[in-house]
Amino acid sequence: MTPESAISIPLDGIRLDNELSLDESLSGLPARRRRAEVLPGFGVSGAITGLVVTALVILPLAVLVLRAASLGPAGFVAAAWTPRARAAYAVSLGASVAAAAISSTLGLVVAWVLARINFPGRRLLDSLVDVPLALPTAVAGLVYSTLYVEKGWLGRYLVPLGFQGAYSRAGIVLVLVFVSLPFAVRVVQPVIESLDRDTEEAARILGASRLQTFFKVVLPAILPAVLTGFALALARSLGEYGSVVFISGNMPFKTEIAPVLIVSRLEEFAYAEATAIAVVLLLLSIGLLVVVNVLQQRVARAAQ
Amino acid sequence: MSSTPTTTGSSPLARAAAIAAAFAIVGGVIVVPLASVFFEALAEGPAAWWRAIAHDPDTRHAIWLSLTVAPVAVAFNTVFGVAAAWLVARFRFPGRSLLISFFDVPFAVSPVVAGLAIVLIFGRQGLLGPTLEWLSLKVIFSWPGLVLATTFVTLPLVVRELIPVMEAIGPEEELAAVSLGAGGWQVFWRVTLPNIRWALLHGIVLANARAMGEFGAVYVVSGHIAGATDTMPLRVEKLFQEYRTPASMAVASVLASIALVTLIVKFVIERRIEAEFHEREGLAPPADSPAVASLAIASPKEAVA
């Protein structure tokens, strides 16, 4: 997208900013080019921002990567690719993908209802979706582990049915769904709100069934947003520690996720291994960040 | 938060089923766990709850520690957020978009990885370890480390609230103030701050909630020493590991109450922002970039004016 096309967005009409990446939505009106000469504070704000970003973001991550690089390729692989680490990546990825898929599906339903239907309690439901964002993850982990044990509120019905929701991989998925659900809802909701309903009505008038309309008209339009929600839920789940550590039981090779392994290596003062595993996780999350950015551009283009 | 939809089209039965499904999902995933915190915490009565909170010195210390670490981290982020938003929203310079993407990094990185990176710099075997030891300063396993880790994980929250708002408002009023002879601080206190105050408060509330609840990064840098470096969330875990679940639930219920109050305040502030933007004729409410807002505890606000 060029700066010129950003200018054409009418300020008084529908704003598409939240489908645009930040940079695109900010790009320049000609008048703003004068600011640097007129408005004060460039030096001060630049110094504060530069200092904080360097000290808090760039330096720590650079040190992490350099520490891992100092192991050498063979040393890095030996540290990052042990059988236990491989098992931890598998549990992390498996549980996160499952949780992101469940969150995206459930989130789509919730987003649809919130965006399309007016009913008593809609505002309350809308606010409740934010709870996992504000509730400390340790609280979520604690509660989920007590809910699904044999004597817990839900466990007493589910355990006899053979569903072990605590100290199991299923438990990891459950708590990750809690943690990641708001992302899936909040990314899709505004896109459904901005959908042009005329297209759907046209499809119905032309004889398409409800399901056909959904799969042929609605889904293609919201798919980039759903995928973005999936990627964000996945990113959040991959890095999650606080809630999982309560519910998973942290059994090596079975329910140990990568962040838990990093911590336990660190507690054994095995810095090299902890760092190597952290770098693998870091690369995964930065890769996901890139994917999210690409998807965001697709969302923006679809909204045009 | 979203605009009220107009219900058209589908049959009442389908609508009812969809609403029921949405309530079942949010109820099962969110409301039941939330409610059970309070039920479990008060299972043995309010007296037992109060004993667990107030009569355990380690728990008291954890509450005090959380109440001192979070505001400092939030204060750092407020200064950083205002400065960074001013820089990015009011100036164009090379490397600007790269800088903006750096703001997002703390959302993408696992808190555990962030904590490890801080240990690698400030820990005894870290980059600055010998220097800190020589100065007899302690960062890791101590209060400064907690503040650093908490500041890192909450770094994007304030700045990400402010950038879209400052962009939507535009520099015209500030340019006018400057052309009338106002100095830098005058412009900030008299023009910029009144315009961004609700968004700033929104960011501060969200950053505070996140700071109070941070677990992974703080767990790594704190050494989780009871009565010394345990914050409230770490205390929840410690009590749980010691099979003192009721006490753990009591501390968790305090954290859950903070979260609920946060959401209520957030709701009220969002109404204010809405109202204020409706006053500014022809200006749509600022829309957060969803990638960012949703990774945080913020939620994207309305897309439609």
Side-chain angles (χ1 to χ4, degrees), chain A residues 139-164:
Chain A
V139 177
L142 173 70
V143 171
Y144 264 76
S145 67
T146 52
L147 276 179
Y148 286 95
V149 292
E150 222 176 326
K151 288 179 180 162
W153 279 18
L154 300 175
R156 74 180 64 153
Y157 307 109
L158 293 172
V159 173
L161 298 174
F163 181 83
Q164 289 288 348

Side-chain angles (χ1 to χ4, degrees), chain B residues 38-52 244-247 249:
Chain B
F38 295 101
F39 273 96
E40 298 271 353
L42 293 167
E44 289 163 35
W49 179 86
W50 179 248
R51 259 199 312 282
R244 292 164 64 190
T245 307
M249 280 289 180

